[in-house]
Amino acid sequence: MKVLMIEDDAQIVDSVAWAFRMRWPDVEFSSTDSGERGAAQAKENRPDLVILDLGLPDIPGFEVLKNIRQFSTMPIIILTARKDEFDIVKALEAGADDYLVKPFRQMELLSRIKALLRRSASPAPESTISVGDLKLSPATGVLHYQNKEIPLTRTEEIIVSKLMQSAGGVVTYSALAEALWNDYYPDCVAALRVYIRQLRQKIEVDVDNPKVILNKHGVGYMLAHSAKETE
């Protein structure tokens, strides 16, 4: 398996390379500190996964992300020192599959990468899930809601599927984390909050006053009764 890291901080590159050597020695790891070279290498070498920093010296990581998405759906995990939720959501909307905020733990990165590769390799269920006005087609990654077709990322699809399968009850943070990453790690609630906000931007009329995906403070998320009601 090939992993390409596009990152200009040599210490971070060295630490990630060491983690792969120690814990995942079969991985062919390469890196570059240039966004332009990184996009070119991704196109030429077709790695199985890209680790991409947003703050690069030549071009913004967002541009690299958009460039790669023009020719490939290869999994991309973002590394960023930016804790602003806007930047993270922007990266996810541009096609990133997951993200980690610096500083991060090496083992957490490897765990997230393995989970992302598993999600990417696993075939989506063919059967459609229907709950009230919501209808999810896993095979196409499209959510139908109120006469709208809403394309979902694989991560969003997993979250929506869990919520629909548990319609009438709360899906805990730990249950969602296990479904996405096979782990419940310290910052997972913050990560889930970002993905839920991204989903709400696609589904809700007013993101700040959600009517479909509700938060059960300190516990998890659930579908509102109005979303569950059948016609």
Side-chain angles (χ1 to χ4, degrees), residues 150-163:
I150 305 167
L152 303 179
T153 66
R154 181 71 175 124
T155 300
E156 293 168 345
E157 179 191 319
I158 292 171
I159 293 173
V160 170
S161 176
K162 289 290 289 183
L163 291 172

Side-chain angles (χ1 to χ4, degrees), residues 6-211:
I6 307 173
E7 166 67 67
D8 65 317
D9 188 321
Q11 286 187 328
I12 291 178
V13 173
D14 288 344
S15 70
V16 172
W18 178 87
F20 274 113
R21 286 196 301 271
M22 293 298 102
R23 300 287 184 168
W24 207 346
D26 293 337
V27 168
E28 181 182 326
F29 179 83
S30 61
S31 67
T32 177
D33 60 2
S34 162
E36 290 188 350
R37 285 198 299 271
Q41 289 179 21
K43 188 171 186 178
E44 179 180 353
N45 299 328
R46 301 287 172 158
D48 297 283
L49 179 134
V50 172
I51 305 170
L52 173 63
D53 179 30
L54 290 182
L56 296 167
D58 53 348
I59 60 175
F62 290 116
E63 293 302 316
V64 180
L65 177 57
K66 291 176 182 177
N67 190 325
I68 293 175
R69 281 293 173 253
Q70 290 177 359
F71 61 82
S72 177
T73 60
M74 64 181 65
I76 299 175
I77 186 166
I78 295 293
L79 297 182
T80 177
R82 307 173 185 180
K83 296 185 179 180
D84 188 338
E85 193 172 289
F86 173 80
D87 284 327
I88 295 169
V89 170
K90 181 180 176 182
L92 294 172
E93 288 179 341
D97 296 283
D98 205 350
Y99 78 95
L100 273 178
V101 175
K102 301 175 184 177
F104 57 88
R105 295 175 297 149
Q106 296 164 343
M107 294 305 102
E108 182 181 336
L109 174 62
L110 294 188
S111 177
R112 297 279 283 271
I113 289 173
K114 288 179 180 179
L116 177 54
L117 290 171
R118 263 194 309 271
R119 296 203 303 269
S120 301
S122 300
E126 295 184 2
S127 57
T128 298
I129 306 172
S130 297
V131 177
D133 290 338
L134 296 169
K135 184 164 72 173
L136 176 65
S137 302
T140 60
V142 173
L143 177 68
H144 300 265
Y145 177 60
Q146 294 186 342
N147 299 317
K148 295 187 297 184
E149 292 188 354
I150 305 167
L152 303 179
T153 66
R154 181 71 175 124
T155 300
E156 293 168 345
E157 179 191 319
I158 292 171
I159 293 173
V160 170
S161 176
K162 289 290 289 183
L163 291 172
M164 293 177 71
Q165 290 169 3
S166 302
V170 177
V171 183
T172 63
Y173 299 132
S174 60
L176 288 171
E178 287 288 339
L180 291 173
W181 305 298
N182 288 340
D183 191 16
Y184 183 83
Y185 60 92
D187 297 326
C188 74
V189 175
L192 288 170
R193 189 179 300 120
V194 171
Y195 287 117
I196 291 292
R197 184 168 183 83
Q198 186 185 12
L199 269 169
R200 285 172 172 163
Q201 288 179 330
K202 294 183 176 184
I203 297 171
E204 306 279 3
V205 174
D206 182 355
V207 174
D208 296 320
N209 186 29
K211 303 295 185 184

Side-chain angles (χ1 to χ4, degrees), residues 206-226:
D206 182 355
V207 174
D208 296 320
N209 186 29
K211 303 295 185 184
V212 181
I213 302 176
L214 304 182
N215 180 36
K216 185 70 171 177
H217 184 68
V219 181
Y221 296 95
M222 64 182 295
L223 292 180
H225 288 289
S226 57

